[in-house]
Amino acid sequence: MEKIILTGDRPTGRLHLGHYVGSLKRRVELQNSGEFDKIFVMIADAQALTDNADNPEKVRQNIIEVALDYLSVGIDPTKTTIFIQSMVPELTELAFYYMNLVTVSRVQRNPTVKTEIKMRNFEQSIPVGFFCYPVSQASDITAFKATTVPVGEDQAPMIELTREIVNRFNNVYGDTLVEPEILLPENEVCQRLPGTDGKAKMSKSLGNCIYLSDSAKEMAKKVKSMYTDPLHLNISDPGHLEGNCPFIYLDAFCTDEHFAKYLPDYKNIQELKDHYTRGGLGDGTVKKFLISVLDETLAPIRERRRQWEQDIPAVYEILKNGSEAAREVAAKTLHEVREAMKINYFDDADLIRQHSEKYAAK
Ligand code: TRP
């Protein structure tokens, strides 16, 4: 069986370090591993509209931002099909059929949907489209017969639901769809990078993000104001690592080579942590090191972004070609789905013959 990746992001803002460690970095590694037959990366504008119906302009403005972020981290349009969700209308039709295979209570139990409903104060007025987005996500994945979905852990309930829909569909209508596997980040700190304020998640609405497109100066400023250990008042005080942002970020980003290069007094992160908890190591030193580490990661991304920014029509051309290619694949799956469900009336010679015989016998 072919190995196929599908993944994507909602275009509601620029992508940040949480996206990078949680999924983008891995996508690029998978893309370049040569282990996959096809890779699709989708800009999920239709899904973004499910909770931004009154603000389509926000979605419209952010498609290019996400595309630029993709290209700048190294997603390569010659190896990966990058496309826009709403430009593949077959996905919507698939979702409409899948909705019949899922109960309302099943979606209501989805922990990610529950959290989002709370965050958006939707309690009494959940848009139907928003409520159905987990089902539409199943069509995104199955339309491409994806075997592998590399995403952050918050997406796990969606992949679970997709697997249920696949099983249900194949049982009812015959083997047609492929059951996908989730691929989570290997490093646990990468699964949910906290914001610069120490809050549980880096999120645009909390204003605690470091964006991939931030300048070196903006990034350094954000690191300098990061939440550390409120009890660590003097350098000589023993420090605490729990919830200490610079250390969490170092866990996600730094390697022993970074120490050799920027902080040779220590061999590795463990030595740095030991010194901090013993006392005698200031937050300033840790933050300065983190700035060097992040800059090494972000400088080439920033540079590549700057180059693509000089040729926006080429970026839209990539999205257009990608969307056309994606549409062909999704149309083929939709055709198979309609065949399996026997709603392909005009292609169904048996149906026409049966009905002819039924009335001829009269
Ligand atoms: N829900 C994802 C997000 O919020 C975006 C998305 C839509 C997606 N469809 C998908 C991710 C299919 C993986 C697979 O970022």
Side-chain angles (χ1 to χ4, degrees):
M1 193 169 68
E2 283 192 303
K3 288 178 79 179
I4 300 173
I5 288 181
L6 176 118
T7 185
D9 301 275
R10 295 182 197 180
T12 52
R14 291 178 289 149
L15 301 181
H16 52 59
L17 291 187
H19 294 113
Y20 184 73
V21 292
S23 115
L24 294 173
K25 188 169 168 232
R26 188 71 172 288
R27 283 184 209 172
V28 175
E29 287 164 8
L30 294 170
Q31 167 194 273
N32 296 334
S33 72
E35 274 182 41
F36 289 87
D37 299 292
K38 288 183 208 138
I39 307 178
F40 299 92
V41 176
M42 178 183 77
I43 303 181
D45 66 328
Q47 187 175 109
L49 287 167
T50 66
D51 63 343
N52 286 286
D54 51 0
N55 200 357
E57 190 56 22
K58 173 166 124 189
V59 175
R60 186 166 170 265
Q61 293 301 332
N62 279 303
I63 289 174
I64 190 75
E65 296 294 344
V66 171
L68 286 166
D69 286 330
Y70 284 167
L71 294 168
S72 59
V73 297
I75 293 179
D76 174 351
T78 66
K79 297 181 182 156
T80 294
T81 305
I82 309 175
F83 70 98
I84 301 178
Q85 187 181 27
S86 71
M87 291 293 146
V88 184
E90 286 77 6
L91 298 175
T92 318
E93 186 175 334
L94 275 180
F96 199 67
Y97 303 138
Y98 293 172
M99 280 179 206
N100 304 323
L101 304 175
V102 180
T103 63
V104 169
S105 67
R106 182 68 189 86
V107 178
Q108 274 167 338
R109 286 200 307 273
N110 182 310
T112 302
V113 171
K114 272 193 190 159
T115 317
E116 286 174 331
I117 288 173
K118 269 209 206 92
M119 262 168 52
R120 289 163 180 68
N121 295 319
F122 274 163
E123 272 91 354
Q124 291 312 312
S125 57
I126 306 169
V128 173
F130 173 81
F131 189 76
C132 296
Y133 95 71
V135 181
S136 106
Q137 198 155 331
S139 38
D140 303 336
I141 295 168
T142 54
F144 300 94
K145 305 219 161 133
T147 50
T148 312
V149 186
V151 279
E153 55 142 23
D154 62 317
Q155 297 298 304
M158 310 303 162
I159 315 306
E160 202 41 53
L161 184 71
T162 303
R163 294 165 62 89
E164 286 174 28
I165 291 174
V166 168
N167 280 314
R168 187 88 209 283
F169 189 100
N170 288 347
N171 273 327
V172 177
Y173 305 114
D175 260 352
T176 312
L177 304 174
V178 175
E179 219 181 305
E181 307 261 3
I182 188 169
L183 193 62
L184 292 168
E186 278 156 2
N187 181 345
E188 209 173 311
V189 279
C190 295
Q191 293 191 14
R192 188 165 293 223
L193 194 73
T196 53
D197 55 358
K199 295 248 169 66
K201 198 177 167 183
M202 192 171 272
S203 140
K204 188 177 11 70
S205 49
L206 297 173
N208 60 6
C209 300
I210 296 178
Y211 292 100
L212 294 173
S213 47
D214 278 348
S215 67
K217 233 168 131 187
E218 284 167 316
M219 180 275 285
K221 194 167 157 228
K222 289 178 183 178
V223 172
K224 284 182 191 146
S225 66
M226 260 184 188
Y227 179 84
T228 59
D229 170 11
L231 303 171
H232 188 237
L233 298 174
N234 303 302
I235 291 186
S236 56
D237 293 340
H240 299 85
L241 298 170
E242 184 83 8
N244 193 315
C245 282
F247 279 101
I248 298 172
Y249 282 51
L250 284 175
D251 275 333
F253 283 94
C254 89
T255 60
D256 294 355
E257 289 80 71
H258 287 128
F259 279 95
K261 206 156 157 192
Y262 304 113
L263 201 59
D265 288 352
Y266 305 86
K267 264 211 232 29
N268 53 39
I269 185 77
Q270 197 51 51
E271 285 191 13
L272 192 73
K273 285 179 175 172
D274 289 345
H275 192 184
Y276 191 78
T277 47
R278 239 184 1 254
L281 175 61
D283 287 328
T285 308
V286 182
K287 287 178 170 175
K288 202 167 149 232
F289 176 53
L290 176 60
I291 291 170
S292 307
V293 170
L294 287 182
D295 206 51
E296 191 172 312
T297 308
L298 294 176
I301 295 176
R302 227 181 277 129
E303 177 51 29
R304 239 184 325 235
R305 195 183 218 273
R306 213 190 48 75
Q307 285 171 14
W308 281 109
E309 283 170 353
Q310 303 315 303
D311 199 358
I312 295 297
V315 179
Y316 274 104
E317 195 61 24
I318 288 169
L319 296 178
K320 183 165 177 255
N321 293 335
S323 299
E324 281 166 9
R327 195 167 178 191
E328 270 181 40
V329 179
K332 188 160 169 282
T333 304
L334 178 62
H335 186 84
E336 292 166 13
V337 159
R338 296 191 62 123
E339 211 167 40
M341 293 174 73
K342 295 193 174 291
I343 56 171
N344 59 335
Y345 314 109
F346 304 143
D347 297 334
D348 189 345
D350 269 353
L351 177 74
I352 300 169
R353 186 167 18 82
Q354 259 174 39
H355 285 171
S356 308
E357 284 167 8
K358 175 176 163 188
Y359 291 102
K362 269 216 243 181

